[in-house]
Amino acid sequence: MAERKRLGDILKDAGLVSEEQIKETLNVKKSDQKLGDALLERGLITEQQLIEVLEFQLGFPHVSLYRYPVDTSLLSIVSKDFATRNMVMPLKKEENQLTLAMNDPMDYYTIDDLQIATGFQISPVIATKDEIIQAINKYYNLKESEEAAPEVDESDQAPAIKLMNQILQTGVQLKASDIHIDAQETKVLIRYRVDGLLRTERTVTKSMQSSLIARVKIMANLNITETRLPQDGRIKANINSVPVDLRISTLPTVYGEKVVIRILDLGSVLNRLSELGFNKVNYQRYMKMIEQPSGMVLITGPTGSGKSSTLYASLNHLNTDDQNIITIEDPVEYQIEGINQVQVNKQTGLTFTHGLRSVLRQDPDIVMVGEIRDSETAEIAVRASLTGHLVFSTLHTNGAVATIPRLIDMDIEPYLVVSSLSGIVAQRLVRKICRDCKRKVEPTAMEREQFEKRGLSINEIYSGKGCGNCQYTGYRGRLAIQEVLVMDDEIRKMMMNNSSISEIRNYVWRNGMIFLIDDGLLKVKKGLTTIEEVMRVALDD
Ligand SMILES: [Zn+2]
């Protein structure tokens, strides 16, 4: 058994973090947060590095829980509550020794508590947090549903409540953005959208369908008896101690109601601008654009390209006492303190156009219009930005340059558009290579060519091999790639003279604009993502 050392000293001795980084982390971390977790959160170390240090320096064995033969009789010795609270999973018992998978094998309080409570000698091994959560859900939930089965008294709803909780827990664990409950002819599919891609995680028997959907409706305060019309609702909940906002929508299909649950992780929605993945050059250009007192800044990209994150981060950056910031949104996705947010409501006639007119009478400094959908809204937004307001909005266009003709097509006087626009950001999300199974690979001839075409060279690239932490996909989390077009007098002149898109594109390219694909390839070069990912999202341009 290792002597009781402090994690900070061990990481420092291993050369992974500096004394200053530890001090700084101790200063900013929440009081109940562990040092290891805080270092992980700040990206100073990876979970893999942490595990390796604990494994090699202190001799704690590292186990993979996916295929570990867990002795389920131990579930009655260590309660689910204790396991969840302390992030541990009992594995096996040999004589007086209880082998315990722990995310933090240096958590001596937990070891001592369990030793006293059970009378066993605790022998800790390391496992990742995700694997422990999954093992807890798998084994303890199984135990609960087996125990619940013979109880005839329990209302019909109980299994549905448990199943629904499991479905939501899995969604939060996988960091899914949406959960789909898809009614089919003979079964119900539970599908999760993770990092932008939808996949089926489990199937549920058809007999559970109606009680499961009733359960969701009860949670979201919807009408249970209405099954022929679509309904929308909202749930605020704490799942696996993560505060989430769930948006529920139901849709009648031939096989029954389909339910989609959108998960908004309230802890991570509000990023800082510096955390959005802008490269250094684009970041400086964008900051300059939004720190002006007036003008129009547009964020473009298809649905699910992270436009709202960029908008919210920008507003939050500008959110000081001396600024009156008003937004008009559909829907208000995230509430920011100190900002006046208005929800569009078609039933009462509060459209983007009407809302924007009223907002402008409220003496704003900064206005955010969720989306420019028609000429009228576009025109008011343009005029507002010409009369001393900083206006943010979004458009569903592909590239930054391609947005210019779209604006002019909206029946606004070109000189108004030209003089109001400060700049345009086009954005996409790519999947990030899983940091736990990332390895170097040799680029293929084709991949080299992709780089050469954009005037870049490449010697080595990275890819994820696939591991338990990324569900064997090789990817975990997402990252934005951007292009930032800053308006200047030359572009304004070209717009007034009806220059073609390709002429404008050539001009900005010569002047050092970084296009989406270039930003993507630079991020490939840095080992953050792969060429396939960049091509998947940036090629339609
Ligand atoms: Zn991985």
Side-chain angles (χ1 to χ4, degrees):
M1 175 88 192
E3 65 173 289
R4 299 192 166 189
K5 282 195 197 166
R6 292 193 327 179
L7 181 65
D9 294 331
I10 295 163
L11 292 171
K12 206 175 63 194
D13 291 346
L16 289 171
V17 288
S18 67
E19 177 82 49
E20 289 73 56
Q21 285 174 321
I22 291 174
K23 273 192 189 145
E24 209 184 297
T25 306
L26 287 170
N27 277 335
V28 297
K29 80 175 187 68
K30 285 172 230 121
S31 59
D32 58 344
Q33 193 180 30
K34 289 180 179 167
L35 177 65
D37 286 338
L39 290 167
L40 281 175
E41 199 180 283
R42 302 184 74 210
L44 295 171
I45 51 167
T46 67
E47 189 166 24
Q48 202 57 40
Q49 285 174 327
L50 186 60
I51 287 175
E52 275 169 20
V53 163
L54 295 171
E55 190 175 6
F56 298 117
Q57 307 268 329
L58 297 182
F60 292 112
H62 175 203
V63 297
S64 168
L65 296 185
Y66 283 97
R67 285 174 202 88
Y68 200 96
V70 172
D71 175 358
T72 49
S73 71
L74 298 173
L75 302 180
S76 48
I77 298 179
V78 180
S79 73
K80 184 183 180 184
D81 186 48
F82 185 90
T84 312
R85 203 156 16 92
N86 299 301
M87 215 31 80
V88 298
M89 177 73 203
L91 300 180
K92 64 174 178 186
K93 188 172 68 84
E94 280 162 331
E95 292 177 3
N96 196 30
Q97 283 241 327
L98 175 67
T99 303
L100 186 71
M102 302 181 75
N103 182 234
D104 177 5
M106 295 176 74
D107 179 355
Y108 305 115
Y109 291 111
T110 298
I111 295 173
D112 289 347
D113 282 354
L114 200 60
Q115 210 143 292
I116 293 164
T118 63
F120 293 120
Q121 203 58 35
I122 307 299
S123 158
V125 297
I126 322 168
T128 65
K129 201 174 206 164
D130 285 352
E131 287 191 27
I132 291 177
I133 294 176
Q134 279 181 23
I136 291 173
N137 284 333
K138 183 172 155 194
Y139 292 103
Y140 284 95
N141 287 344
L142 196 71
K143 178 171 164 266
E144 279 171 7
S145 55
E146 276 166 6
E147 281 166 1
E151 298 223 5
V152 195
D153 315 326
E154 274 215 61
S155 80
D156 235 17
Q157 290 281 311
I161 293 174
K162 274 181 191 138
L163 179 58
M164 196 56 225
N165 289 347
Q166 284 173 26
I167 289 172
L168 293 174
Q169 281 166 4
T170 306
V172 167
Q173 247 169 60
L174 293 174
K175 298 199 165 55
S177 59
D178 304 86
I179 304 172
H180 292 232
I181 302 177
D182 274 344
Q184 307 223 314
E185 193 176 358
T186 56
K187 57 184 186 272
V188 180
L189 297 184
I190 311 296
R191 305 199 292 167
Y192 294 86
R193 187 176 296 283
V194 178
D195 294 340
L197 302 179
L198 196 61
R199 62 164 192 250
T200 302
E201 201 68 24
R202 68 191 282 184
T203 55
V204 173
T205 58
K206 192 77 179 165
S207 60
M208 283 299 288
Q209 181 178 324
S210 54
S211 50
L212 190 62
I213 288 169
R215 174 66 193 154
V216 183
K217 287 180 165 177
I218 290 170
M219 288 172 78
N221 248 329
L222 301 178
N223 183 350
I224 308 185
T225 54
E226 177 57 79
T227 58
R228 290 187 210 164
L229 288 174
Q231 296 186 66
D232 294 305
R234 206 168 158 171
I235 306 168
K236 279 204 176 204
N238 249 306
I239 297 166
N240 298 346
S241 29
V242 176
V244 289
D245 198 352
L246 305 172
R247 297 283 159 75
I248 317 295
S249 84
T250 71
L251 183 73
T253 73
V254 284
Y255 298 126
E257 285 171 286
K258 173 184 168 71
V259 176
V260 175
I261 303 170
R262 164 146 288 198
I263 307 177
L264 289 171
D265 177 350
L266 297 179
S268 72
V269 171
L270 197 55
N271 288 311
R272 256 174 271 160
L273 264 181
S274 56
E275 291 163 357
L276 291 177
F278 278 104
N279 69 48
K280 231 179 180 168
V281 176
N282 279 345
Y283 183 69
Q284 282 162 356
R285 288 176 184 166
Y286 184 66
M287 290 303 264
K288 217 171 137 190
M289 203 189 289
I290 67 168
E291 281 174 348
Q292 286 166 7
S294 67
M296 183 154 73
V297 175
L298 294 175
I299 317 286
T300 75
T303 307
S305 54
K307 296 192 294 279
S308 324
S309 294
T310 305
L311 281 177
Y312 283 130
S314 306
L315 293 179
N316 201 41
H317 171 77
L318 299 167
N319 185 13
T320 51
D321 275 351
D322 56 349
Q323 296 288 317
N324 180 12
I325 306 179
I326 311 185
T327 72
I328 170 132
E329 306 171 65
D330 186 21
V332 172
E333 273 182 38
Y334 182 75
Q335 292 167 16
I336 309 178
E337 226 178 283
I339 292 185
N340 307 291
Q341 292 169 281
V342 179
Q343 164 80 51
V344 163
N345 186 339
K346 279 171 220 111
Q347 271 127 24
T348 62
L350 183 59
T351 59
F352 273 115
T353 316
H354 279 122
L356 186 53
R357 279 189 209 285
S358 319
V359 160
L360 289 171
R361 284 183 221 114
Q362 295 272 320
D363 184 31
D365 299 293
I366 300 168
V367 177
M368 190 262 266
V369 190
E371 198 188 323
I372 293 184
R373 286 186 195 161
D374 55 60
S375 305
E376 212 182 340
T377 315
E379 172 139 18
I380 309 170
V382 163
R383 288 190 187 276
S385 61
L386 285 172
T387 50
H389 305 94
L390 180 62
V391 177
F392 286 94
S393 192
T394 68
L395 265 180
H396 275 270
T397 48
N398 284 334
V401 178
T403 305
I404 294 174
R406 264 291 299 282
L407 278 172
I408 293 180
D409 280 350
M410 280 189 152
D411 262 348
I412 317 171
E413 291 287 342
Y415 77 91
L416 287 180
V417 177
V418 165
S419 29
S420 65
L421 200 57
S422 304
I424 304 165
V425 177
Q427 179 170 313
R428 300 283 189 284
L429 293 178
V430 291
R431 286 184 295 163
K432 243 160 112 175
I433 297 175
C434 170
R435 60 185 185 189
D436 291 319
C437 61
K438 179 157 120 179
R439 70 216 156 127
K440 269 182 202 165
V441 290
E442 184 79 13
T444 64
M446 252 212 340
E447 286 169 331
R448 279 181 205 281
E449 204 188 303
Q450 303 277 16
F451 273 85
E452 278 156 19
K453 266 201 236 158
R454 304 301 298 179
L456 297 164
S457 68
I458 189 82
N459 293 319
E460 54 192 30
I461 53 177
Y462 293 82
S463 85
K465 190 165 165 266
C467 69
N469 291 337
C470 59
Q471 261 72 35
Y472 298 92
T473 58
Y475 292 102
R476 193 147 68 126
R478 285 193 290 177
L479 167 81
I481 60 175
Q482 292 105 345
E483 63 186 23
V484 178
L485 172 74
V486 184
M487 293 295 286
D488 64 20
D489 290 343
E490 187 57 33
I491 305 176
R492 295 198 164 95
K493 210 154 74 193
M494 293 175 92
M495 284 170 72
M496 287 308 291
N497 295 337
N498 264 328
S499 300
S500 68
I501 292 195
S502 61
E503 281 173 287
I504 299 179
R505 205 172 265 153
N506 275 331
Y507 166 78
V508 294
W509 168 246
R510 282 200 312 277
N511 277 274
M513 178 165 137
I514 300 162
F515 285 87
L516 269 177
I517 184 148
D518 304 319
D519 187 37
L521 292 178
L522 289 170
K523 283 167 181 162
V524 170
K525 217 172 159 163
K526 276 191 154 172
L528 297 170
T529 187
T530 62
I531 297 189
E532 298 90 74
E533 276 300 289
V534 173
M535 293 302 156
R536 181 171 69 85
V537 301
L539 213 58
D540 55 9
D541 209 27

